[in-house]
Amino acid sequence: MSVPATAGFGVLYLVALLAGRQTVLAGTEDPVVWPAAGVAAVWLVNRRESRWRWLDMAVIGALTVAGLLVTGADPATAIVHAGAAMAAGMTFAVVTARLLPGLWAGPEGGRPLARLDDLWRILVAAALAATVMSCIDTLGDRLAGQDATMVRFATRVVRDVASVLIFGVALQRVVYLVRGGRSRLDQARTLECVAIFVVSAGAYYYTFIVNHSLPIGFALLPLTVWVGIRMPTWLAIGHTLVFGSVAAIFTQHGWGPYAEIASPDSRALVIELYISMHAVIGLALALSRDERDALIDRLRDSEQEATDKAGMMTMIVNSMTEGLAILDPSGRLVLRNPAAGRLLGSVNTVAGGVALGSDYGFFHPDGTPLADADLPYARALAGEEVPPMDVLVRNAAVPEGRIVRFNVARIAVRPDGPQHVVVVFHDVTADRRHRDELMSFAGQVAHDLLNPLTTIEGWAEVLEQELAGYQPAERVTRIQRAAARMRTFLNGLLAYTAARDGKLMPTTVNLALLLGDIVNSRYDQAESEGVPPPYFEVGQMEAVEADPVLTRQLFENLIDNALGPMPPGVAPYVSISCQPAANGMLRVDILDNGLGLLPGKRREVFTSFHSGQDDRGNGLELAVCKRIVERHGGTIEAMANPYGSGTRMSFTLPVGRSAYARTLKNQWAASR
């Protein structure tokens, strides 16, 4: 593959060199058109990864010497220019490898010139290579005793840069098209292309032949702009190649506005600048248009992909059995699927700007009204971490009522934008009904079992007295312990049933007095059991508006939970404090120094029959606490103690509103 490629490039280079030598401008020693520079650039860049690249450079040198000698150059000039051509080609290959890796080199001939950034980079590489070549040629001129002016130096640089831009880019584009690249024109564009070339031919003929004495060469620039804006890049290159060569040849033969310039060197520089300007403008416009078209194609593909994904997502969302809604920061619906309308008892279509509020008929599961501020999405927008929440939906479309479980999460459409809320909800009416029926049955069974259990305990006590002092009395003790555990379990079931179904009797509860009584009872219990008493730290407590029986049970259960189990050798410590919370609630914190929560059990501890790190209790105590708090409109959560080992239980209850509560608050404020 290497030898045929070298031979092919060699033949093309020799033809380009011989053709260029035919365009020597009268009064100068240099050709006006030098396609050999562009061919050499493409040749060495295309072959720079080959192990035969040094052979290619040697072939360039040999062909340059041979071509120049054949066309009448003296041997010294031929050798100097051969060295200059080899150095320029090597410079161009090295610089493009750094600035434009992959351009014109690699598998299938590499990538073509395709971006405006490529044009500026190749201009830099071509300018450096042309400067190297001109320096060597100028040095040869001085050694030969010829004139070596700056105008001639600049002319050579501009000519070689133009040769790379025109002939080099054109040659690479031909290679690209031959290797499978395609650039087709539709019928309308083909007619426009023919029109451009016809108009250009007429304009150049008029400018360079008919009125060649008038300095109107600038008037031909719009033709290059027309081609660059409207035609493919390969046609823009072809237009510049054809008519740039025509302008150079006409000038060489003394025709056209630039032939009127007296100085041959200045005449050569001006025509080279003219050709280079057209090449740069045409390529810049064509490549800019290519980049724009490629960007439009990518945008069109991205838009189609986004449309397809959006359509698929819409189908998925619409087929969901769970309700899905997205709300903006003001609480208005942005998106809602049909299942959401069915579950909430409203129409399936989303009306712009509709708010998801209590006018849908939202209530607590026990039937008490649910304020808009207490809705899950509103709490999420307020910055709260909202656990799954059950809501009763009752309206004209759902007169019988439906229990819906809401799951909410905050999302940000943009990193610095406002947060929206995603709400996913599903019907749990049947599940709750089944659970409620089961708990009602359990409560009834617990109540019915207490009577026979009392009988067992009574007869066990009689049997213990009769067997006092005998070995079988120990077995009676086991019966009594089992009966005590059974009674604790049944009392827990009854307490949970009461906390769930019992009628609330809210009144002002003085938490300071309530906690004082509970703390004293724990001291008495520790003394009777002969164990070290726990240490309680109770802060100033405000009054709450709650059911006094359920409130006492709430604190009893939470304090018992805080008192065990403990790490070995550690005395129990319980801290109780309160602080105001939002929406007229009072937040109470109970901290302990126990073993703490098992990993990932923050929510599970409040489920029915959950067992923690010990075997005490019946697994209902914290479930009872959760039910009591929720029936009062509050929330409860468990987390690790932020000040050490143990757990922190935080819950909210309505703050006291009576005159008695205000008096207690004033007394508390005065004592601070």
Side-chain angles (χ1 to χ4, degrees):
M1 292 295 292
S2 297
V3 173
T6 299
F9 274 116
V11 171
L12 192 59
Y13 178 78
L14 184 58
V15 171
L17 186 146
L18 295 175
R21 288 289 294 172
Q22 305 307 312
T23 63
V24 175
L25 191 64
T28 68
E29 299 293 332
D30 297 321
V32 181
V33 180
W34 192 241
V39 175
V42 176
W43 183 354
L44 292 182
V45 169
N46 189 268
R47 303 277 292 158
R48 69 185 174 210
E49 302 297 333
S50 172
R51 61 177 179 172
W52 301 99
R53 58 186 178 275
W54 299 112
L55 174 62
D56 293 309
M57 290 188 61
V59 172
I60 288 176
L63 291 176
T64 303
V65 172
L68 291 177
L69 290 176
V70 168
T71 55
D74 62 88
T77 301
I79 293 173
V80 170
H81 189 75
M86 294 168 61
M90 182 176 63
T91 301
F92 186 82
V94 171
V95 174
T96 52
R98 296 292 184 89
L99 298 181
L100 293 162
L103 182 74
W104 301 352
E108 303 299 327
R111 65 179 180 86
L113 196 68
R115 299 191 300 267
L116 190 59
D117 183 61
D118 292 344
L119 176 61
W120 307 135
R121 292 172 184 266
I122 205 169
L123 271 174
V124 172
L128 290 174
T131 301
V132 169
M133 187 172 185
S134 297
C135 287
I136 296 175
D137 282 338
T138 301
L139 180 61
D141 292 342
R142 289 189 178 275
L143 293 176
Q146 299 176 3
D147 290 337
T149 64
M150 286 303 299
V151 174
R152 179 173 292 185
F153 179 87
T155 301
R156 288 170 174 172
V157 171
V158 175
R159 180 200 63 192
D160 292 341
V161 170
S163 297
V164 172
L165 290 182
I166 297 174
F167 295 99
V169 173
L171 174 60
Q172 198 284 330
R173 181 65 61 165
V174 170
V175 173
Y176 169 75
L177 293 175
V178 169
R179 289 180 172 177
R182 290 293 180 267
S183 183
R184 297 181 179 178
L185 294 175
D186 55 30
Q187 184 177 3
R189 193 61 62 85
T190 301
L191 294 176
E192 185 179 2
C193 175
V194 172
I196 288 176
F197 274 82
V198 170
V199 172
S200 297
Y204 272 81
Y205 178 78
Y206 180 82
T207 302
F208 281 85
I209 302 298
V210 178
N211 281 325
H212 61 86
S213 61
L214 296 178
I216 57 173
F218 64 88
L220 299 173
L221 184 59
L223 295 172
T224 301
V225 174
W226 183 8
V227 175
I229 292 176
R230 297 290 299 166
M231 293 294 106
T233 304
W234 63 275
L235 276 177
I237 297 170
H239 183 274
T240 303
L241 187 151
V242 171
F243 292 101
S245 300
V246 166
I249 293 171
F250 281 168
T251 302
Q252 177 195 5
H253 289 83
W255 299 329
Y258 307 116
E260 303 297 325
I261 301 175
S263 170
D265 289 341
S266 299
R267 187 190 319 148
L269 178 59
V270 169
I271 189 61
E272 298 296 355
L273 288 172
Y274 173 84
I275 296 172
S276 299
M277 179 184 65
H278 279 261
V280 171
I281 292 175
L283 281 173
L285 291 174
L287 293 175
S288 298
R289 190 204 57 253
D290 287 347
E291 284 192 278
R292 181 203 64 191
D293 293 343
L295 179 59
I296 291 174
D297 290 340
R298 288 198 298 271
L299 289 175
R300 187 180 295 111
D301 293 341
S302 299
E303 181 181 6
Q304 184 61 44
E305 183 181 359
T307 301
D308 294 341
K309 288 184 178 180
M312 182 184 300
M313 186 62 65
T314 300
M315 288 185 356
I316 293 173
V317 170
N318 289 342
S319 64
M320 290 172 57
T321 57
E322 293 84 2
L324 173 67
I326 300 178
L327 299 98
D328 63 16
S330 64
R332 297 186 177 277
L333 283 167
V334 176
L335 173 70
R336 179 179 60 190
N337 67 348
R342 292 193 298 270
L343 288 172
L344 300 181
S346 59
V347 294
N348 291 337
T349 57
V350 178
V354 174
L356 187 65
S358 57
D359 52 346
Y360 276 76
F362 291 153
F363 302 87
H364 288 287
D366 60 3
T368 57
L370 183 62
D372 286 353
D374 296 330
L375 289 170
Y377 82 84
R379 292 168 55 193
L381 287 174
E384 296 185 42
E385 292 295 331
V386 184
M389 179 177 177
D390 291 349
V391 175
L392 171 63
V393 179
R394 182 184 293 122
N395 51 45
V398 193
E400 71 283 1
R402 176 184 292 131
I403 302 294
V404 176
R405 177 162 296 168
F406 284 78
N407 294 271
V408 299
R410 291 189 299 273
I411 61 171
V413 180
R414 298 185 304 274
D416 56 346
Q419 288 193 328
H420 290 59
V421 170
V422 177
V423 185
V424 179
F425 44 92
H426 59 281
D427 190 350
V428 295
T429 306
D431 293 341
R432 285 185 64 97
R433 183 182 298 115
H434 176 73
R435 187 191 69 182
D436 292 346
E437 291 174 353
L438 181 62
M439 292 307 301
S440 296
F441 173 76
Q444 185 63 41
V445 170
H447 182 271
D448 293 343
L449 287 177
L450 283 178
N451 288 332
L453 182 62
T454 301
T455 302
I456 293 173
E457 290 177 330
W459 283 109
E461 185 177 355
V462 172
L463 188 60
E464 181 185 28
Q465 293 175 356
E466 292 183 356
L467 295 177
Y470 293 94
Q471 186 68 24
E474 295 180 0
R475 300 176 181 176
V476 176
T477 303
R478 294 180 183 177
I479 295 174
Q480 290 176 322
R481 287 201 298 267
R485 287 196 298 271
M486 185 65 178
R487 178 174 292 278
T488 300
F489 178 74
L490 295 177
N491 286 336
L493 283 177
L494 289 173
Y496 186 82
T497 304
R500 186 198 62 189
D501 299 328
K503 183 178 180 181
L504 290 179
M505 302 291 291
T507 187
T508 300
V509 179
N510 188 336
L511 293 184
L513 293 179
L514 175 64
L515 287 172
D517 186 53
I518 295 175
V519 168
N520 289 332
S521 69
R522 296 306 181 271
Y523 286 149
D524 294 341
Q525 180 181 349
E527 183 179 357
S528 64
E529 295 176 356
V531 297
Y535 178 75
F536 287 92
E537 183 177 354
V538 182
Q540 292 282 1
M541 304 299 296
E542 292 190 39
V544 295
E545 199 74 15
D547 186 296
V549 176
L550 295 181
T551 303
R552 183 180 187 91
Q553 186 176 11
L554 169 66
F555 279 94
E556 292 267 10
N557 288 357
L558 290 177
I559 289 175
D560 286 342
N561 178 79
L563 290 176
M566 301 298 301
V570 177
Y573 166 81
V574 179
S575 171
I576 306 173
S577 61
C578 71
Q579 57 182 304
N583 302 320
M585 306 294 282
L586 183 72
R587 171 180 154 182
V588 179
D589 296 317
I590 300 179
L591 290 81
D592 64 63
N593 62 339
L595 293 178
L597 298 170
L598 292 172
K601 299 296 183 181
R602 288 181 54 184
R603 295 182 179 176
E604 287 81 350
V605 295
F606 296 108
T607 57
S608 301
F609 305 108
H610 173 80
S611 58
Q613 301 198 49
D614 64 343
D615 296 328
R616 303 180 308 155
N618 50 41
L620 286 170
E621 290 86 353
L622 294 182
V624 170
C625 293
K626 183 175 185 291
R627 186 58 186 159
I628 292 173
V629 170
E630 289 181 346
R631 289 201 65 192
H632 286 85
T635 59
I636 186 171
E637 60 179 347
M639 63 190 68
N641 188 341
Y643 306 108
S645 63
T647 306
R648 181 176 77 181
M649 293 286 181
S650 298
F651 61 92
T652 56
L653 291 174
V655 69
R657 298 184 295 270
S658 65
Y660 174 51
R662 290 194 295 271
T663 301
L664 292 176
K665 185 175 182 179
N666 293 335
Q667 292 176 353
W668 175 53
S671 63
R672 293 184 66 179

